[in-house]
Amino acid sequence: MKNNRNIFQLFKMSIFNISVLSLVFVLSCSSGDSDSNDVPTNLNVDISIIGSDTNNPNGNGSGTVVVSASANNAVRYAFRFGNGDQISSETGTTEHTFLQNGTNTYNIAVWAYSQSGAFINESYSVDVFKSDEAFATLVFSDEFEYEGSPDNQKWHHQIIPPNNGSWHNGELQHYTDREENSFVSDGSLKIKAIKEQYSYNGSTKEYTSARLNGKVAFTYGRVEVRAKLPSTAGTWPAIWTLGANVDETGNYFGDQYGSVGWPLCGEIDIMEQTGWNKNQTISHFHWGDLNTEEYMDTGGETAVAQASSEYHIYAMEWDSESIKTYVDDTLVFELPNSTNKPYNHEHYLILNIALGGNLGGDVPTNFTEDIFEIDYVRIYQ
């Protein structure tokens, strides 16, 4: 059974201009004996609701709007939201957050003033959604209610070894995009590690597996992955993120967000499990200080009973103040966030099983295969 949670539509949040719902009035007048040529003209008002998109037209629950105004012969502007006080602005742009929960209709009035004080104004009516629930809008998910290969609209297979024909950390496998190593069946994604000789670009390994990049880059939010972990020694499953500016070989985003490399990109290990202790999981952070470029890392661990036979929810809650990781409702580790850490820009999600290496350890000679099973992936903002 899927874990029930109130969700909105399955689209990435964006900020875009909305059409004003209704124009209430337009008024032109002048102050004192000003010449009519001094009155501002052509007042244009642009209203954006934060997080508004086709499926969330009233916003993402922040209750925040951005209003921009421009007019000929105007030197300053003023705004009033609902019955509030008039707010002045020389730039013509201001931001306001409505505090009443739910979807409500608000009046927004805008004035444009000339040097002499002559003005014109307009008033608009908009519907804005406000919610106190943190991370209320679903921006990415896969419930795996289909059969076959992972949805290529949501997942990218990273298969090019970035380290001279191998993967970093002493991993022993090749990652592939074959259905043998990653497939969806019976309501879950299976990432399968297999003992088999496999060659890629002249490099031969004794194991194969899969490494999936989520095709969404996001800043802040809640990640939930409901999963069963492999039970065999030598397997190293992970749910983690990298800064989208890492520009790692073969990753989905390439250099679209920059090319700072690791660790300046930042890494968040929401869940890792060693190959030698299948009764606990690790949450760890790796980063380069943005001021000094010094490598830093820290983390914690927690016991997880029946990690391979029962589903558990591995989660992260990330904002500008901190990053918290959980197993079910148990806090594993909290890292304070700050401007010198690379955790205030876009990251992307990675799911994989490695064999051997730093956290996999020795792989038993009788190993044949094992599975990392994922019931769903959800990212909220």
Side-chain angles (χ1 to χ4, degrees):
M1 295 294 294
K2 303 295 183 186
N3 182 41
N4 291 324
R5 178 182 174 96
N6 291 329
I7 61 175
F8 296 88
Q9 302 296 323
L10 313 182
F11 291 87
K12 183 178 180 183
M13 290 190 305
S14 62
I15 301 174
F16 71 98
N17 298 334
I18 65 164
S19 298
V20 175
L21 299 182
S22 60
L23 176 63
V24 179
F25 64 87
V26 179
L27 174 65
S28 298
C29 65
S30 60
S31 173
D33 296 325
S34 299
D35 188 277
S36 61
N37 290 332
D38 188 48
V39 178
T41 59
N42 297 326
L43 175 58
N44 293 306
V45 177
D46 184 66
I47 301 175
S48 297
I49 301 177
I50 300 299
S52 179
D53 60 25
T54 303
N55 294 282
N56 301 288
N58 303 315
N60 61 7
S62 69
T64 302
V65 297
V66 177
V67 184
S68 298
S70 63
N72 297 334
N73 202 36
V75 297
R76 67 182 180 90
Y77 301 85
F79 306 87
R80 177 178 291 148
F81 298 91
N83 297 320
D85 295 333
Q86 194 179 80
I87 301 169
S88 295
S89 168
E90 293 185 0
T91 65
T93 298
T94 190
E95 181 178 292
H96 179 79
T97 299
F98 295 103
L99 300 179
Q100 185 175 350
N101 281 338
T103 300
N104 299 283
T105 301
Y106 298 98
N107 186 67
I108 300 175
V110 183
W111 287 263
Y113 290 89
S114 70
Q115 187 67 49
S116 69
F119 66 86
I120 57 173
N121 71 339
E122 296 182 359
S123 185
Y124 301 90
S125 177
V126 293
D127 292 336
V128 180
F129 172 62
K130 175 72 169 69
S131 173
D132 286 337
E133 182 181 359
F135 313 125
T137 301
L138 189 71
V139 298
F140 176 89
S141 77
D142 201 334
E143 304 295 320
F144 303 113
E145 298 292 351
Y146 53 91
E147 302 287 319
S149 297
D151 186 347
N152 62 13
Q153 297 299 307
K154 298 179 178 181
W155 300 104
H156 165 76
H157 286 87
Q158 191 174 355
I159 63 173
I160 304 172
N163 187 27
N164 298 317
S166 298
W167 292 86
H168 297 295
N169 306 308
E171 298 175 20
L172 302 177
Q173 79 295 316
H174 273 311
Y175 292 120
T176 85
D177 57 4
R178 304 176 308 161
E179 201 164 311
E180 291 93 328
N181 292 115
S182 58
F183 59 94
V184 177
S185 65
D186 300 321
S188 65
L189 167 68
K190 283 82 170 174
I191 299 178
K192 181 185 284 190
I194 304 171
K195 184 176 183 179
E196 59 176 336
Q197 192 172 87
Y198 185 87
S199 297
Y200 182 86
N201 283 352
S203 172
T204 300
K205 302 294 182 183
E206 301 301 316
Y207 306 92
T208 61
S209 184
R211 174 173 168 140
L212 302 182
N213 297 180
K215 290 185 175 183
V216 59
F218 62 101
T219 305
Y220 310 144
R222 175 179 169 87
V223 176
E224 291 181 7
V225 179
R226 188 169 186 257
K228 295 178 185 178
L229 308 184
S231 61
T232 309
T235 58
W236 174 7
I239 302 165
W240 54 303
T241 76
L242 282 175
N245 58 358
V246 62
D247 192 22
E248 184 180 50
T249 301
N251 88 94
Y252 175 66
F253 294 100
D255 61 0
Q256 177 181 345
Y257 292 95
S259 185
V260 302
W262 188 94
L264 287 176
C265 66
E267 175 180 331
I268 304 171
D269 298 321
I270 301 170
M271 186 286 302
E272 293 183 290
Q273 188 185 62
T274 69
W276 54 88
N277 188 344
K278 296 303 183 181
N279 297 310
Q280 69 177 28
T281 60
I282 297 168
S283 180
H284 212 87
F285 299 82
H286 305 264
W287 73 95
D289 187 287
L290 298 183
N291 295 328
T292 66
E293 299 190 2
E294 180 185 3
Y295 169 70
M296 308 290 289
D297 75 304
T298 188
E301 58 189 39
T302 191
V304 183
Q306 290 84 47
S308 61
S309 60
E310 296 180 2
Y311 281 113
H312 294 273
I313 296 174
Y314 302 94
M316 169 183 72
E317 293 186 351
W318 167 32
D319 61 26
S320 62
E321 299 297 323
S322 70
I323 309 171
K324 301 174 183 176
T325 56
Y326 299 86
V327 176
D328 299 322
D329 294 323
T330 299
L331 178 67
V332 181
F333 196 79
E334 180 176 4
L335 178 74
N337 200 0
S338 57
T339 57
N340 68 317
K341 295 185 178 78
Y343 299 125
N344 297 290
H345 63 240
E346 294 87 351
H347 277 232
Y348 63 94
L349 183 67
I350 304 171
L351 307 173
N352 71 289
I353 310 176
L355 275 298
N358 294 352
L359 290 187
D362 294 333
V363 181
T365 57
N366 62 350
F367 175 84
T368 57
E369 62 182 42
D370 209 341
I371 288 177
F372 181 16
E373 185 172 358
I374 296 117
D375 183 38
Y376 64 73
V377 176
R378 299 171 185 167
I379 301 175
Y380 301 86
Q381 287 186 309

